[in-house]
Amino acid sequence: MSRPQLLTFGASSFGLLDLPHRPAQVAVVVVVGGPQYRAGSHRHFVQLGRHLADAGYACLRFDHHGVGDCPGPLPDFRALDTDIDIAIKALRRAQPQLQAIVLWGLCDGASAALLYAQSGDPMLKGLALLNPWVRSAQGQARARVQHYYLDRLRSRDFWAKLLRGGVGLAALMEWLQTRKAARQNAVPTEAEAFQLRMARGYAGFAGPILLQLSGRDHTAREFEAAGEVFPEWRGWADRPRLTVQRYPGADHTFSLRDEQKASFDGLIDWLRQSFDEAPQ
């Protein structure tokens, strides 16, 4: 098992770098969503770094401003480009033999990775995105109607409560209101315009993209239906050089160890297929 090395960069930032026994040609940079810090929920990122190093890849996980041991105000995930850029430059100085860098992100960390993909960084060769965050009021309503409420309407308990005039009536009214919201066209506010920027990053990125989607997660369902809400996301599944891996038993953060390991194995398989045979 590798021992992470301390990597300092910027005025007060640092990260932990997991390295394999031989010099790595490909490095994975973990973009922390959040607010979280470099360890991740249930030490998800720690385990990720170890698995990658054991498989021959370097892995940098770092604290951006305002999280973990990095001081300063907490930025929105839409404003992490500078932190990501500084981390990548520090990694390249520490590991000058690297030929490719892959950004890995969960939820709004994946969203931040897609936003950074428009920077034109020549070392950025791949994106690994877990349950990307594309939330909007309409998208959230559609996901609830298509999944949460559909399951409830199939439940005998729900109809029993409805006939008794109990909680079911209130739930039915809530479903009707949510269904109405789901049918409305999405008009992104200034705060929601990130979804359109993400779509541009997704469509314009030339390298391979890995999508890992959890089966027990509304954020993943919202991403799958993003094309119904935002025209810019239509046809996302038809993108060239796209690999989609689905994990039916996984929750949003892959908290179950077996599901987590399966996602690590899937990531490593994708890295080998995308980079080991023909490094770019």
Side-chain angles (χ1 to χ4, degrees):
M1 182 180 296
S2 67
R3 292 180 61 86
Q5 299 180 11
L6 182 66
L7 182 65
T8 59
F9 46 91
S12 56
S13 302
F14 75 91
L16 293 176
L17 180 59
D18 289 280
L19 294 172
H21 296 298
R22 296 181 179 180
Q25 301 299 306
V26 179
V28 174
V29 175
V30 176
V31 181
V32 173
Q36 292 191 58
Y37 76 119
R38 62 191 179 275
S41 302
H42 37 266
R43 296 176 64 79
H44 188 167
F45 307 156
V46 176
Q47 298 297 329
L48 173 64
R50 291 173 178 172
H51 277 75
L52 286 170
D54 288 344
Y57 301 96
C59 179
L60 173 64
R61 41 195 176 84
F62 69 98
D63 293 340
H64 61 66
H65 284 92
V67 300
D69 292 302
C70 187
L74 177 65
D76 187 89
F77 71 92
R78 294 165 289 186
L80 292 182
D81 279 9
T82 299
D83 289 82
I84 296 171
D85 185 63
I86 292 173
I88 289 177
K89 287 178 178 176
L91 174 60
R92 292 183 63 186
R93 288 193 297 269
Q95 299 289 308
Q97 82 287 348
L98 289 173
Q99 296 184 27
I101 288 175
V102 174
L103 289 184
W104 182 102
L106 167 67
C107 191
D108 57 5
S111 306
L114 277 173
L115 297 177
Y116 182 81
Q118 300 170 75
S119 67
D121 187 338
M123 280 295 289
L124 181 58
K125 303 295 187 180
L127 298 170
L129 312 172
L130 282 69
N131 302 325
W133 176 268
V134 291
R135 177 151 297 176
S136 65
Q138 292 80 7
Q140 186 176 22
R142 291 184 186 214
R144 288 181 65 82
V145 167
Q146 294 173 2
H147 300 282
Y148 173 75
Y149 284 113
L150 184 59
D151 288 342
R152 294 200 68 186
L153 289 172
R154 291 171 175 170
S155 168
R156 290 184 179 180
D157 290 341
F158 171 82
W159 291 106
K161 289 179 181 180
L162 179 62
L163 292 173
R164 292 197 302 266
V167 179
L169 182 59
L172 182 61
M173 295 303 297
E174 181 183 355
W175 172 72
L176 291 173
Q177 293 172 357
T178 304
R179 187 167 177 264
K180 180 180 179 180
R183 289 182 168 183
Q184 296 175 351
N185 293 325
V187 180
T189 64
E190 182 178 352
E192 291 179 336
F194 74 91
Q195 297 115 333
L196 310 187
R197 292 171 55 207
M198 284 174 60
R200 288 194 291 269
Y202 184 85
F205 185 68
I209 293 180
L210 170 66
L211 271 174
Q212 293 187 331
L213 300 174
S214 297
R216 297 166 49 212
D217 179 41
H218 281 288
T219 299
R221 303 292 79 74
E222 288 177 58
F223 177 82
E224 291 172 328
E228 301 174 12
V229 181
F230 301 104
E232 292 80 1
W233 276 106
R234 289 174 185 164
W236 66 264
D238 300 324
R239 182 195 185 279
R241 308 193 73 184
L242 172 66
T243 300
V244 180
Q245 298 173 353
R246 300 181 185 277
Y247 299 87
D251 57 21
H252 181 64
T253 59
F254 288 80
S255 61
L256 297 177
R257 183 56 57 90
D258 288 346
E259 297 289 346
Q260 187 185 94
K261 184 179 182 305
S263 74
F264 295 162
D265 292 342
L267 169 64
I268 290 168
D269 287 344
W270 172 77
L271 287 169
R272 288 173 175 160
Q273 294 170 10
S274 301
F275 299 102
D276 287 7
E277 294 180 0
Q280 300 181 23

